[in-house]
Amino acid sequence: MEMIGHGGKEIIERVMAKDAALKRVAEMKAAKVKTLDVRLQLATEILDIAYGFFSPLEGFMTKADVEAVCNNMTLADGKTVWSIPIVYDISSADLEKSGIKQYDEVLLTYTGNPFAIFDITDIFTLDTKEVAMKVYGTTEEKHPGVKRTYQYQDKFLGGKITLLNPPKINEPFTKFWLTPKQMRERFKEKGWEMIINHQTRNVPHTGHEWLMKGAYLGAYGSMMVDKPRGGVLVNAMIGSKRPGDYIDEAIILCQEAQGKHGYFRDDIFLTTCTLWDMRYAGPKEAIFHACLRTNLGCTHHMFGRDHAGVGTYYDPYDAHRIFERLPKGSLNITPIFNLDWWFCPVCDEVTYMGLCGHKDKKASFSGTLIRSIIQDGVKPPRRIFRPEVFDMIMECAEKYGFGNAFVTEDYLKNRQPVFTIEPLK
Ligand SMILES: [Zn+2]
């Protein structure tokens, strides 16, 4: 089947078959090649690269790529749209100790086990302040994406990655993690021709539910009844967490619950996850999400109010406006721009900025309101949370969150990892 990803190129998996990988690791060990053990942040992106989530990237960016991303919002080819640097950082001291030079082939390990081959073609430095300004529009360290940028070590390695050892995705994420190729196969099984992606890092209240329903209605509004339809893909971002975020387990299981309990017909709804540390880059991250979901095989992508934003760094609709700046045809996915959904006590329903005439009476689904409802643990009206979704939040808090649906220090320290890399044998 067709596996064309972002940039119009075939999705490339850079994953070595097991027998070949075993042989290769034995050879590399015999030849005493240099090795580096990677941290979770890098391991996550190695998986994304190897399975084609970041297609057409086949490895970590070179300096030319990072500069093009910062200056032109493209890769170094000058035409493939890309908005967030994907980099491998290392300290000068570690680089020196490892003896790694340009054009070395390096064995990467994760938690001590063979993981990937890294063909290093570029060793470089970056002005992280400049990168922060160009990607995030600010140099304030309070911004979590900027903070991550400033935490990079002082040297960067660019080059292709080949995965040697596939991850074991742990429960409850196992069935939700599908590679771009698996995702497309699933769409084919379901007979979906149009796939509307909903990006999320939340458990769904009815505002989110209606956001998705609104996008679905919009996308199919002009389609005749007999045409093959498609569905809504909820693709949750699972990755590094900050205290106060929803725990990953609650996000994925509560999203699934909407389909399980019929708020969406089972044949038009699918919940999956992608491993990605949110950068909260607002408009730039919206573009990145569009590229990523193109690789997953989606045809449409929803962008909500303050998409991937944080604090007051971006205007709530900057992440919509940025699409106007892209050259025509540079993305193979159609954006659906959602305005604000709220609960209106006069209409007595969940409604929408573009419809409801009682703006002054609206009750917004503010983070603070939703958080206090969840922390109270008392079942709210079903107009705010579907009862089955709310029950699942409470269940996840007990089962995975050490009593809390939100990330705590306890959770950060003691949670089960989302994936593990086991010994290769
Ligand atoms: Zn109203």
Side-chain angles (χ1 to χ4, degrees), residues 342-349 351-352 355-359 361-362:
W342 58 62
F343 177 77
C344 171
V346 184
C347 298
D348 194 25
E349 63 197 14
T351 182
Y352 173 71
L355 291 172
C356 168
H358 314 110
K359 193 175 173 211
K361 308 246 176 27
K362 67 167 179 165

Side-chain angles (χ1 to χ4, degrees), residues 43-299:
T44 300
E45 290 182 357
I46 288 168
L47 292 176
D48 288 329
I49 293 166
Y51 286 100
F53 288 89
F54 294 170
S55 195
L57 293 192
E58 295 181 57
F60 286 100
M61 288 184 175
T62 61
K63 189 170 175 103
D65 278 323
V66 179
E67 283 179 343
V69 167
C70 290
N71 296 326
N72 314 317
M73 220 163 65
T74 66
L75 297 178
D77 67 3
K79 57 177 201 281
T80 309
V81 168
W82 202 276
S83 54
I84 307 251
I86 305 293
V87 292
Y88 186 113
D89 63 315
I90 185 168
S91 70
S92 294
D94 285 347
L95 185 63
E96 201 166 311
K97 207 170 77 192
S98 74
I100 288 168
K101 299 271 180 319
Q102 194 182 15
Y103 305 120
D104 274 351
E105 183 186 68
V106 172
L107 176 63
L108 299 180
T109 59
Y110 179 58
T111 55
N113 292 316
F115 185 40
I117 299 171
F118 191 8
D119 287 301
I120 293 167
T121 52
D122 196 12
I123 300 176
F124 58 99
T125 56
L126 287 172
D127 179 343
T128 51
K129 211 162 191 177
E130 190 187 331
V131 171
M133 194 60 209
K134 289 182 169 167
V135 175
Y136 299 99
T138 173
T139 54
E140 277 183 39
E141 203 176 346
K142 268 200 334 248
H143 185 298
V146 173
K147 186 171 169 198
R148 181 188 175 105
T149 305
Y150 290 170
Q151 280 170 346
Y152 284 140
Q153 321 246 29
D154 59 331
K155 287 278 169 63
F156 297 86
L157 307 176
K160 289 188 181 180
I161 285 291
T162 310
L163 191 74
L164 294 163
N165 193 357
K168 176 176 173 284
I169 307 291
N170 297 316
E171 292 299 336
F173 303 101
T174 320
K175 70 169 174 179
F176 296 107
W177 187 77
L178 298 179
T179 67
K181 288 196 171 176
Q182 290 170 334
M183 201 90 75
R184 287 156 187 256
E185 278 153 18
R186 189 68 63 85
F187 297 152
K188 201 176 170 203
E189 280 162 32
K190 285 178 156 299
W192 288 4
E193 295 201 350
M194 270 163 69
I195 299 107
I196 304 166
N197 183 83
H198 173 53
Q199 144 68 28
T200 192
R201 50 192 159 110
N202 286 301
V203 306
H205 50 63
T206 49
H208 297 121
E209 182 188 316
W210 275 100
L211 202 74
M212 288 187 265
K213 288 179 170 172
Y216 186 88
L217 296 173
Y220 291 98
S222 61
M223 197 177 267
M224 295 301 283
V225 63
D226 301 321
K227 286 268 186 200
R229 297 195 164 228
V232 175
L233 173 73
V234 177
N235 188 237
M237 290 302 198
I238 301 297
S240 76
K241 293 272 133 183
R242 298 184 301 155
D245 289 347
Y246 285 107
I247 62 172
D248 286 328
E249 294 84 353
I251 297 171
I252 199 89
L253 293 169
C254 291
Q255 291 288 348
E256 185 196 31
Q258 298 176 100
K260 262 190 169 166
H261 298 283
Y263 298 102
F264 289 90
R265 251 167 56 175
D266 194 44
D267 60 337
I268 65 126
F269 192 73
L270 179 66
T271 304
T272 64
C273 64
T274 291
L275 306 176
W276 169 252
D277 298 337
M278 287 285 298
R279 309 295 209 267
Y280 303 92
K284 292 292 179 78
E285 185 139 355
I287 298 285
F288 172 77
H289 290 170
C291 303
L292 173 72
R293 272 56 183 251
T294 305
N295 288 332
L296 303 188
C298 298
T299 57

